[in-house]
Amino acid sequence: MKRTAPKTRSITVSDVARAANVSKATAARVLGEYGVVSDTIRADVMAAAKTLDYRPNELARSMTTGRSGIIGVVVGDIENPFFSLAVRGISDVARAAGFNVILANSGERIEAEKAAVRLLIGKRVDGLIVTPSESRDISHLRDIHRSGRPLALLDRALPDLDVDTVTVDDRGIAMRATRILADAGHRNISYVTAVDSEGHEYRDLGQIYTSSVRERIDGFLTVCREAGIDRPERYVRLGATSPDETRGVADKLLSGPDRPTAILASDSVIALEIFKVIRQRGLRVPEDISLITFHDADWTSVTTPPITVIDQPVYALGKSVAELLIRRLKGETRPPERLILPTGIIERGSVGPPRMALLAEAAK
């Protein structure tokens, strides 16, 4: 008959107190990082905890101190390199300040975002950082704000919610990128985004509920109209929600008789699939199609040709929003800040004049 190995008993606060020759209450104050004790006693308790390999019971500590030492983060798509890098920035700042991070993914779906927020609140997180999937339904975020739990927004601003927010100038940088394409002579320019709508058809900005995407499309259309492009909205494509969907969008876009000569992709995941479809159809960048994408992903600099990118300060976005939230958690009471970080464009080899312009020049 096999003997069951005895379970190893967890080291408790009482064990640490006995080893340090202090009361349980004093040991709890040291280990829970609250109250006042002398430096000598603190050192004795911490030495005893290290010798005994004491591991704190986070739930018990949060019930005692009212703090869990955890920050909850909800992002739109954890598989997107943009969010991965932003979360790295958040985690680095949180760790340095003594906080852990719990990450949740909304998949850009508002109901999933609400469920993630409920879950994190149930975990007694001290504060939340959220990338809102849309701007029309923010009741759950208003509830957090009203409760007094610190909340900060990453990458997407909500004009009707007065909380700390860190973004870039999406409209301005989309205008700059579109102007590069228009100045190269392009008049059939497409904008492709993961945001979807009923029927996958773009009609007007009113149907776009993700603030950053709305601002980008607005900037794109503004420059197209300034360049005299007729009905530029007909080249806005929605629904690039997955690699398969993106390939479908790109294939349909490039198979028509009036296909675009240039494409602005709303993120590097979409741009990669578009680049693949361009190659599969026997087309060349930039000779047949010019391409610019948001986010300087690793792959964009190693393709032939390398891709012109909108270089968003992604790590800094995460770092900055975490710093704002932690200042709140440490008790700072100040008006909410809305930081807009500078963004640049790295021009590489994926933009050239449209083929018709090249043919006309050669015929001279």
Side-chain angles (χ1 to χ4, degrees):
M1 182 177 178
K2 292 182 179 179
R3 292 186 177 181
T4 303
K7 292 183 178 179
T8 302
R9 186 177 70 85
S10 297
I11 301 299
T12 66
V13 174
S14 296
D15 296 327
V16 176
R18 279 193 295 272
N21 198 27
V22 299
S23 69
K24 180 180 176 181
T26 297
R29 283 197 294 273
V30 174
L31 298 172
E33 300 178 359
Y34 65 93
V36 179
V37 297
S38 71
D39 291 341
T40 301
I41 289 177
R42 184 182 305 279
D44 289 345
V45 171
M46 295 306 293
K50 183 176 181 180
T51 299
L52 296 172
D53 194 25
Y54 169 75
R55 305 293 175 85
N57 182 320
E58 297 295 346
L59 177 59
R61 183 166 70 175
S62 69
M63 293 177 68
T64 301
T65 65
R67 291 290 182 90
S68 65
I70 299 172
I71 293 170
V73 179
V74 184
V75 298
D77 180 5
I78 57 175
E79 293 184 349
N80 189 318
F82 174 93
F83 288 116
S84 300
L85 186 54
V87 169
R88 175 66 183 273
I90 292 170
S91 299
D92 286 351
V93 170
R95 189 182 305 109
F99 289 89
N100 292 312
V101 171
I102 297 180
L103 176 64
N105 182 44
S106 73
E108 302 290 8
R109 300 187 304 274
I110 187 62
E111 292 307 321
E113 179 181 308
K114 290 180 178 181
V117 166
R118 287 194 298 270
L119 174 67
L120 292 171
I121 290 175
K123 297 286 186 183
R124 302 172 68 90
V125 297
D126 294 334
L128 285 124
I129 295 171
V130 178
T131 300
S133 58
E134 62 172 64
S135 56
R136 59 178 172 172
D137 186 356
I138 59 171
S139 58
H140 56 303
L141 301 179
R142 290 189 190 280
D143 289 343
I144 295 169
H145 186 45
R146 280 196 292 262
S147 75
R149 181 179 271 107
L151 168 67
L153 303 182
L154 168 66
D155 185 48
R156 299 169 188 171
L158 294 174
D160 297 330
L161 190 63
D162 200 19
V163 298
D164 291 327
T165 303
V166 183
T167 63
V168 299
D169 180 6
D170 284 291
R171 184 177 186 274
I173 201 64
M175 291 178 70
R176 284 179 58 191
T178 308
R179 196 167 284 120
I180 288 173
L181 297 172
D183 287 349
H186 294 279
R187 292 299 177 266
N188 291 1
I189 309 172
S190 180
Y191 183 91
V192 182
T193 177
V195 167
D196 207 355
S197 186
E198 188 176 349
H200 311 299
E201 182 182 348
Y202 175 79
R203 295 181 297 277
D204 56 56
L205 287 172
Q207 72 189 113
I208 307 297
Y209 301 115
T210 302
S211 60
S212 58
V213 177
R214 185 170 57 246
E215 290 174 12
R216 291 176 187 181
I217 294 176
D218 185 31
F220 165 77
L221 293 174
T222 297
V223 171
C224 286
R225 290 174 181 134
E226 288 174 355
I229 298 172
D230 182 45
R231 296 186 300 112
E233 60 276 358
R234 74 190 189 280
Y235 280 115
V236 176
R237 292 293 184 271
L238 311 179
T241 54
S242 69
D244 286 344
E245 292 290 340
T246 303
R247 286 192 293 270
V249 169
D251 204 51
K252 186 175 180 181
L253 187 64
L254 297 176
S255 63
D258 196 24
R259 66 171 173 81
T261 60
I263 297 174
L264 175 57
S266 65
D267 66 54
S268 61
V269 177
I270 290 172
L272 179 57
E273 298 306 321
I274 291 173
F275 187 80
K276 291 176 183 177
V277 172
I278 291 171
R279 287 291 180 84
Q280 288 164 3
R281 297 187 67 84
L283 300 172
R284 294 176 300 165
V285 175
E287 290 83 355
D288 299 301
I289 301 283
S290 288
L291 178 63
I292 298 179
T293 183
F294 278 80
H295 184 46
D296 183 23
D298 290 341
W299 70 267
T300 61
S301 63
V302 297
T303 53
T304 303
I307 307 301
T308 294
V309 297
I310 293 168
D311 185 22
Q312 298 165 283
V314 184
Y315 182 87
L317 283 167
K319 180 175 179 288
S320 298
V321 77
E323 289 170 345
L324 290 178
L325 185 75
I326 289 169
R327 283 162 57 184
R328 295 283 181 195
L329 293 174
K330 290 184 175 179
E332 283 196 19
T333 55
R334 51 184 166 72
E337 292 188 42
R338 292 181 179 262
L339 302 183
I340 300 176
L341 303 189
T343 303
I345 293 179
I346 302 174
E347 296 192 48
R348 293 176 176 146
S350 63
V351 176
R355 176 172 284 276
M356 288 300 103
L358 287 172
L359 292 175
E361 184 67 27
K364 289 181 179 178

